[in-house]
Amino acid sequence: MGNIADAFGINPHSGSIVTQRALDFETLPIYTLTVQGTNMAGLSTNTTVLVHLQDENDNWPVFMQAEYTGLVSESASLNSVVLTDRNVPLVIRATDADKESNALLVYHIVEPSIHKYFAIDSSTGAIHTVLSLDYEETSTFRFTVQVHDMGTPRLFAEYAANVTIHVIDINDCPPVFSKPLYEASLLLPTYKGVKVITVNATDADSRAFSQVMYSITEGNIGEKFLMDHKTGSITVQNTTQLRSRYELTVRASDGRFASFSSVKIHVKESKESQLKFTQDFYAATVKENSTEARTLAVITAIGNPMNEPLFYHILNPDRRFKMSRTSGVLSTTGIPFDREQQEAFDVVVEVTQEHKPAAVAHVVVKVTVEDQNDNAPVFVNLPTMRVDAAVGHTIRHVTAVDRDSGRNGDVHYYLKEHHEHFQIGPSGDLSLKKQFEPDTLNKQYLVTVVAKDGGNPAFSAEVIVPITVMNKAMPVFEKPFYSAEIPENIQVHSPVVHVQANSPEGLKVLYSITDGDPFSQFTINFNTGVINVVAPLDFEAHPAYKLSIRATDSLTGAHAEVFVDIVVEDINDNPPVFAQQAYAATLSEASVIGTSVARVRATDADSEPNRGISYHVSGNHSESHDHFHVDSSTGVISLIRALDYEQVRQHRIAVRAVDGGMPPLSSEVVVTVDVTDLNDNPPLFDQQIYEAKISEHAPHGHFVTCVKAYDADSSDVDKLEYSILSGNEQKNFVMDGETGIVTLSNLRQVTLKPFYSLNISVSDGVFRSSAQVHVTVVGGNLHSPVFLQNEYEVELAENAPVHTLVTAVKARTGMLAFTATSLTTSDRFYTNERGQVFTLEKLDREIPAEKVIPVRLMAKDAGGKVAFCTVNVILTDDNDNAPQFRATRYEVNIGSDAPKGTSIIKVLASDADEGSNADVAYALEADSESVQENLEIHKLSGVITTKESLIGLEDEVFTFFVRAVDNGAPPKESVVPVYVKVLPPETRLPKFSEPFYTYTVSEDMPIGTEIDLIRAEHSGTVLYSLVKGNTPESNRDEFFVIDRQSGRLKLEKSLDHETTKWYQFAILARGAHGDREVVASVDVSIQVKDANDNSPVLESNPYEAFIVENQPAGSRVIQVRASDLDSGANGQVMYSLDQSQGVDVIESFAINMETGWITTLRELDHEKRDRYQVKVVASDHGEKVQLSSTAMVDVTVTDVNDSPPRFTAEIYKGTVSEDDPPGCVIAILSSTDADSEEINRQVTYYITGGDPLGQFAVENIQNEWKVYVKKPLDREKRDNYLLTITATDGTFSSKAIVEVKVLDANDNSPVCEKTLYSDTIPEDAFPGKLIMQVSATDADIRSNAEITYTLFGPGAEKFNLNPDTGELKTLAPLDREEQAVYNLLVKAADGGGRFCQAHVLLTLEDVNDNAPEFSADPHTITVFENTEPGTLLTRVQATDADAGLNRKIAYSLVNSADGHFSIDELSGIIQLEKPLDRELQAVYTLTVKAVDQGVPRRLTATGTVVVSVLDINDNPPVFEYREYGASVSEDVLVGTEILQVYAASRDIEANADITYSIISGNEHGKFSIDSKTGAIFIIENLDYESSHEYYLTVEATDGGTPSLSDVATVNVNVTDINDNTPVFSQDTYTAVVSEDAVLEQPVLTVMADDADGPLNSHIHYSIIDGNQGNPFTIDPAREK
């Protein structure tokens, strides 16, 4: 299975897997093969083989595009990223199908010449500038980019990418004049339009920035010259009084930069020239409107030598004329002429010779344009006419003008239609043809007049002339028409104009408004003719009124009319209104300075100048306001500072529109500019070096570490790509490009180096940053320690002082230090960790057990694995033993007949030392000379021989010492006495039965056992004795004894084969031969045979052993050794485990019977059991009895990291408030690890998922791993996170989730749905009526978003705002007449006190709830009985507090006294209908009804009018003057008398009872009148600025019955005092001025206004501060 496409085959016998076809990593990088093994019995088992392919560099990189185009501004700073036309960075990209370093791409720019301008990021392909660019130097760069991978061999892209970069021009070059100085000559006479010179300036910028404007800035005295601002040509403008030279300064500007040059003009009189013309001047005509090009004149010059060419040209060029350069023909170009624009041209022609000095002459061609009839007559200044003239009398002259000339412009007049009464003369005189009938008076005629010109064809115009016919008895107005200008905010009841008419009969005139007051906003005083405003005006609704005023003769009823033009002056009462409630724009942070953001537009309903709008950025000078500028006139908002999305993502700019009124009104609108992110920030790693530890045992895919990078660009959060750049040559590691997690790769080597340094990088596609990951590999205890040798031999001097270094052994342990422990001889040696062996005591080579001392060592590494070795310590000899003679004394008898050289005796000394220290040399030492003479000793053998014959020395005893000296340095020695007795030859010595005796005895022979009976033959008694030994072997300790008498040899003490295996000693037999004592000796040799009397002794108890867990069965644990002092089979040891111990031990361990090696029977698990006590038995092979002993082996199972860390919970939950500061702990993590060793339990935690912005961190704080907040959180953006936490102990890893809930903090204010709510409600709305619902939202939650609404403002108590729902209802009855508009404020506050506000504008709709009210009831009037029917008598007035139709009143008479009287429905004027007769009825009581026009119901009022009929002889009072006047200053004191009126009656007795009253004009209550004296007083302060004129109507009434009265007008003029300070239209003005602004350039206009009258409102301006160096001036009078 898994063998896709039969890629692999397997040998069925050997199990070798081989490839069968070519493999391709890019197609399939991993194979999972299932292999089955089957035995002969048909049983099978499976295993899995993972085959990882290693990538070969077999794919070359391929560019994603063949062509790339980028843009960069020449003003871009160094290291600016080049962008594409979509405003994103230009990135050259290639792909490579390989993996890892084979796909790691490196980009470079091919052309070396480009390197000084641009660089490419070798890893990302992003291009940036390295030099300031200049569009004017190079506007386009073209180059190629190549790419290669980092594989072996490196592969390059087959085709390189072509890159084109366009440099965007900015206006950074000034115009440059072609010369610093121009010179020109101007010959007189000259003419207007003559061209002097053309200057030229060029600008290196691109077209948009290189359009040059020319102007003359200085030197143009008297404005003699004109410069074409486009072409730069200078022409003559004014030819009068020219100076002889001019030096002009000319300026060329491209809108940002300006340059200057000088033009010197020399004005010269024409010199007498030899060239002359055939005429002094030439004349020509041209037809108006003709498009034909035709010759006008041929100019001929004379006085020129033959065949010399002449050149002609026009000095004052015009597009309509052209001149042949050589022939002198002047012609038109076909561009039509318009005579009405210009009827004559002076074309100045100059002729010059070819050779130098050139003769020059000028001549003028006068061209006249011939008129065509292309204009109709137009009437001007049309009159309206009133006729009361005689027949034939010219009434009026009408005029029409025609712009043509001659007959085409001659106008004559006629009437379109024949008219009975009128006629017109050809010159426009309108006259009366026929008198009118009396009944046609007061009629209007419309006459149509035609004006016609004399052209062919002729043009004509018509006009209608209105003519009114007048009656001579009509009242005559003092003026033909009246006009007034009043501000729209004029106070109600203010006088507007005083209309006066006089009756030809001298009777009283009554006034009424007959037309032109559609909304009843004006009223005229019935008696005085004063027109007042009675209702508010609105310029925007009605900017002008044309009132038709009628004056009626009170007796005859004859009437006349006049127009009163009332112009309403606009008051700035309308703020500007923006076209939108809010503006929004989106701008990339890459936008260049000067980019247009949006255009705001506001309109103002007022008129000019109040409607003139300027725009300003208003509000506090926050970040946003520093970034934008609004053009004050166009409202275009532009960028003035670079944007940075990372600092501010949204700008809110308050733009204020200010109108031109005084004081100005303004409105604000918010422009929201959302900044879009551009990739302009590199990603940055949160650390420069990451440290990680892993175990060598870590499996494929094991988590190593997690790196994190953050990018300030929000748009790059998901685009970051991580990679390993270098340090991963063996591909042990692999990095996840998205998450930054580093793991061990599938290709990891079996053995890892102890340290890796990986260079890693992160890229956002444009920018790249790098960091390092240091990976420390903790050696997995893969290998046991190994000693270089199993056995070491080493020599040590005996008696070496304690702590002598014996040797040092070495073990190869891979990475781990080892500890060597001596398992035996621990009383004599010790070791340290470095494997050095030292002595613990002095050693003695001569002790048999210590000649060679085996020291057993164990090496244990930190992972618990062990090795063993033996060090054999061979003691080297020290001469610390003297030679020891075998016997304590030697005694021998010798016959005197012994020949010379006879051996007498061999003395033997042995030395326990070795070598030369044990080489013994013998010497005789005797006091007597005879010994020296007769005896000698062999130096080396110790054999004493005779030197001479001993005859003659019978019975002599030689007594001497033999000295034995060893060869040590210094030598040691000992001496033994020797007694040699010389016997006569015949003397017989005792003779032993054997020459020597040899025995073998067992060591367990009982004491007292007889070994043998020794016999020596002798004639006499023989006494036996053992020669006293000097060493243990020579029976020093008397293990054996001999019976003196019998010679019986027996055992005296217990033998020990292990101590002494042989005994050699001599037996002496003493007898007597005669009286001489004789002695003989024999050697006895006894071998002690071994018996099994020693148990084996284990070298240690207890043993300490270590084994690493999970080792396979059969692993060695320790070797136990026992020694048995017995010999042979008795000393042969075999090993076994004590079977009585626990099953666990028996099943886990085995011991080799012969070698003592303990091995495991199965894998041990530290976590199950970490210690075993194994009881070992060592027994010998004794024939009869086997002896044994036991020892404990303490086996420690050492820990291996074989248990993963386990989290104590799968999910940890934590909460954090969004306003908690960074550092706030969310969760404390803990994990368990079944391993016991601290090193295997060390866990590191990483956040490996769920935190793209790096807002959290995990860290070990005070021995606890805590997850905490690292960067501020915002619940409104995200309210929960699932963090993946990975824990690793270097070998294993595990994961857990931390669920973070972000709690709300009150960090968002409520946002009101609207800033202004407006609605209308009927004033009769019931309490509880729902008006509207206000609403606000809050991005927070719960109480932080629970919004409570409250209402504020004057009149708020009449409404109820539901605090929870925002429903606004009425609470109390409303009355529009009391308060018509409510300006309320709603505050929406959340639970934390944050709030927003909205204005509520409620307008009450009028309901007809007010009946009309008469101004006087009863209204009394007097009428003379001879008054003509049709005469107007009086006017009754009723007012209605309602509005609109509800206040429009219709009058009627309920009782008209049988039709004697009638009333005008609209004006309330009562008219006499029938003649009166005082005798029939003297008093009429009329009932007047006033009905409003309300809907749905009309309200009514009634009043009474009492009409008293007077006798012709009744005399009413008469005022002294019809009109009084007074002038008072506005600061006049209250109580001042201003004038006195006076009336008198012809009825003398009535004079006493005249009372005065003000009946109208005092609506403002400023005046009072003394009813008796007629004195008028000021009773309230006056204010010129509010009202500067009053018209009071004063009535004088007598005391008669009925009372009679008269009225007069009092005109009060208020004069101004300077009581108002000027006020600026704005608190702050801002202006932008370019640094190359020319002198006197206007910068800004400031405006102030003064409310005072004309004399006190002249304002003087000056700069008082901040003008350092006086660069600015202000016009003191004009507002600049």
Side-chain angles (χ1 to χ4, degrees), residues 440-459:
T440 58
L441 296 177
N442 256 356
K443 192 171 172 196
Q444 193 179 56
Y445 294 89
L446 298 176
V447 178
T448 305
V449 178
V450 180
K452 190 174 188 184
D453 66 20
N456 185 14
F459 284 104

Side-chain angles (χ1 to χ4, degrees), residues 1137-1155:
L1137 297 184
D1138 185 337
Q1139 294 298 310
S1140 66
Q1141 57 196 328
V1143 178
D1144 199 12
V1145 174
I1146 300 296
E1147 289 181 353
S1148 299
F1149 300 97
I1151 193 164
N1152 183 301
M1153 198 168 98
E1154 290 176 11
T1155 63

Side-chain angles (χ1 to χ4, degrees), residues 83 140 192 231 422 440 519 613 648 718 759 827 907 919 1072 1130 1151 1161 1193 1287 1319 1324 1431 1605:
L83 303 178
T140 305
K192 182 174 178 179
T231 65
F422 304 105
T440 58
F519 307 111
I613 294 175
V648 186
D718 305 330
N759 288 318
D827 50 346
V907 295
D919 290 347
N1130 294 337
I1151 193 164
L1161 288 172
V1193 179
D1319 208 343
D1324 62 349
T1431 300
S1605 61

